[in-house]
Amino acid sequence: MPKTITQKIIFRNAKVSDLYSMYLDSREHTKLTGNNTAKISPKEGAAFSIYDGYSWGKNLQLVKDKLIVQSWRASDWKKTDIDSTLIFSFEQHNNDTVITMIHANVPDNQAAALKNGWNEFYWKPWKKYLAEK
């Protein structure tokens, strides 16, 4: 049975516009994940490939500085697994940005690894990247 991962991440002293742009810019996305190649675009309907081709999908809905909705799947998923849906919602709270992430329809056998993976391969590196920027 597919799982849903929900996470709320607070980025101190960060602007929504910076985080939104970082995720959807190939060069910035590549840097913030430790130079793992990303081919991504800020265009609705555009296909993407991130983390050296580990995951890919399509931008389903983009609302600048507010919302990113993508179809998403990973290379180690079974062919019979359906594509998941990834949603990032961005909110500015004074000097901080809060991202609410919902990753729905994640294969049951991948949920624990992906939950940890978002923290280890995205949220921690993003915070480090922003601190150094």
Side-chain angles (χ1 to χ4, degrees):
M1 176 123 210
K3 301 285 185 201
T4 298
I5 301 165
T6 303
Q7 297 178 340
K8 190 171 276 205
I9 309 89
I10 299 170
F11 293 90
R12 303 269 181 230
N13 299 309
K15 292 181 183 176
V16 164
S17 58
D18 291 342
L19 292 167
Y20 181 91
S21 296
M22 281 170 36
Y23 185 80
L24 292 174
D25 179 272
S26 292
R27 188 182 47 172
E28 292 287 317
H29 196 121
T30 296
K31 284 182 194 175
L32 70 90
T33 58
N35 291 318
N36 293 289
T37 304
K39 295 176 184 171
I40 194 164
S41 162
K43 295 180 183 172
E44 259 185 35
F48 70 87
S49 170
I50 55 177
Y51 235 90
D52 290 333
Y54 170 74
S55 30
W56 63 89
K58 186 182 217 179
N59 293 333
L60 301 175
Q61 183 180 16
L62 302 173
V63 179
K64 186 164 177 50
D65 299 339
K66 300 244 182 252
L67 182 73
I68 296 171
V69 181
Q70 297 177 314
S71 67
W72 198 97
R73 70 179 300 111
S75 59
D76 54 353
W77 293 9
K78 297 177 197 165
K79 290 185 183 204
T80 55
D81 291 330
I82 62 172
D83 288 354
S84 64
T85 301
L86 178 64
I87 302 167
F88 289 147
S89 174
F90 298 81
E91 295 176 77
Q92 191 75 51
H93 289 279
N94 298 315
N95 292 331
D96 303 333
T97 293
V98 177
I99 295 178
T100 301
M101 184 210 70
I102 300 169
H103 198 165
N105 292 324
V106 173
D108 185 45
N109 66 338
Q110 299 291 323
L114 270 176
K115 182 178 179 181
N116 291 331
W118 280 111
N119 286 316
E120 289 300 314
F121 301 114
Y122 274 85
W123 313 136
K124 285 180 183 178
W126 274 30
K127 289 177 180 184
K128 181 180 179 198
Y129 180 77
L130 288 166
E132 294 171 354
K133 198 170 179 183

